[in-house]
Amino acid sequence: MPLLEEQAYSMRTDISRAPGNQNSPRHKPCSDCKRGVPLRRVVFATIVTIIPESETRLPRKPRGVTAIYPGSFDPITNGHLDLIQRGSRLFDRLIVSVLRNETKQPLFSAEERMAMLNEVVGEYPNVAVDSFAGLLVDHAGRHSATVLLRGIRAISDYEYELQMALMNRRLNPGLETVFLLANEAYSFISSRLVKEVFALGGNISGLVPPSVEARLKRRISQPKRKGA
Ligand code: ADP
């Protein structure tokens, strides 16, 4: 018998043997009763301990948890989308935040990256898209977010992600970084690799949403500007 079932069974038999229940029609004297062995008693009690918040030291859990999923998303891949889908189930609100960092020389502008995200997050009602420049912790503060969501594909991601998470914790200890392990089906996908493969004529279907593939086609087939 599985342990829990066994425990429930022994509790039931203890109750039916308890002194108050001995007149019950379901009570059958057992061999222990006949020998006068003291009956075990089962006591049910609910213990509620109220710890004042000042003693717990931990900040109280907010009513609704808002998480920020920051990144370059240049462009969004199916790996990112998988994380968004899973994050939308874990948190009350999820804000996918595009980093406006022109020094990274993105293929798509921040507006284009946001438009691509908006095209695919529509089916998740608690997901919104935004952008930010400057400190991520300040951006999180503007949204009253308490969680930063990041993905880990391999050990190679870990070192960078750890540094970022520790720095962000130092800047705002109330902001927790939560890591989700990449879905194994997408763990080899990165925006950089998708762009490289596509530029060389490789097939990227299944790696990015179809709307992103169409935009990539348009962007890469555009003639290069003089001097670019
Ligand atoms: P960044 O420039 O901040 O690294 P990215 O857009 O490359 O931005 O990635 C944003 C986050 O998404 C990072 O935490 C990254 O590890 C994660 N990520 C990227 N690609 C994938 C993937 N295929 N599966 C899961 N997580 C991913």
Side-chain angles (χ1 to χ4, degrees):
M1 205 184 316
L3 188 60
L4 278 177
E5 235 180 89
E6 196 174 17
Q7 283 168 343
Y9 174 79
S10 70
M11 276 185 173
R12 275 201 304 275
T13 49
D14 282 347
I15 291 165
S16 71
R17 288 186 204 161
N21 288 344
Q22 291 194 2
N23 296 330
S24 126
R26 289 171 66 192
H27 173 73
K28 291 197 187 84
C30 58
S31 52
D32 280 356
C33 304
K34 282 180 212 151
R35 282 202 300 271
V37 176
L39 293 170
R40 267 195 294 150
R41 300 212 176 159
V42 177
V43 178
F44 293 96
T46 308
I47 300 167
V48 179
T49 313
I50 298 169
I51 305 169
E53 203 193 329
S54 56
E55 285 177 26
T56 63
R57 297 246 194 108
L58 288 171
R60 201 190 301 188
K61 182 178 171 294
R63 281 192 182 192
V65 177
T66 299
I68 303 276
Y69 178 28
S72 305
F73 305 107
D74 185 37
I76 178 178
T77 69
N78 284 346
H80 293 128
L81 196 53
D82 180 68
L83 228 69
I84 292 171
Q85 184 186 49
R86 289 156 64 199
S88 77
R89 287 195 226 117
L90 287 173
F91 307 110
D92 298 289
R93 281 178 300 281
L94 180 66
I95 297 159
V96 186
S97 297
V98 171
L99 173 64
R100 291 177 175 274
N101 184 356
E102 298 307 319
T103 59
K104 271 196 167 184
Q105 297 198 314
L107 179 63
F108 294 102
S109 69
E111 279 64 34
E112 287 171 311
R113 287 177 273 154
M114 287 172 74
M116 283 185 273
L117 281 161
N118 273 315
E119 279 163 8
V120 293
V121 302
E123 62 181 286
Y124 311 110
N126 61 340
V127 176
V129 176
D130 196 4
S131 68
F132 72 104
L135 283 178
L136 176 57
V137 291
D138 292 340
H139 173 67
R142 286 192 286 276
H143 284 285
S144 307
T146 51
V147 171
L148 297 176
L149 175 66
R150 297 285 287 178
I152 301 251
R153 286 162 289 190
I155 293 287
S156 49
D157 279 343
Y158 178 77
E159 218 170 309
Y160 173 71
E161 293 292 342
L162 179 72
Q163 260 189 353
M164 294 290 292
L166 294 181
M167 180 57 81
N168 284 325
R169 182 188 288 171
R170 192 171 188 280
L171 294 170
N172 180 356
L175 199 54
E176 283 292 348
T177 304
V178 171
F179 295 105
L180 290 185
L181 290 184
N183 183 327
E184 60 273 23
Y186 306 122
S187 61
F188 63 97
I189 307 175
S190 70
S191 302
R192 182 188 54 79
L193 206 53
V194 163
K195 285 181 285 191
E196 277 178 23
V197 169
F198 190 75
L200 296 172
N203 180 3
I204 56 157
S205 68
L207 306 184
V208 294
S211 56
V212 171
E213 194 177 343
R215 269 184 194 257
L216 270 169
K217 270 188 193 143
R218 288 203 295 275
R219 172 56 47 92
I220 293 197
S221 63
Q222 274 167 9
K224 274 196 173 178
R225 278 169 293 158
K226 268 192 187 162

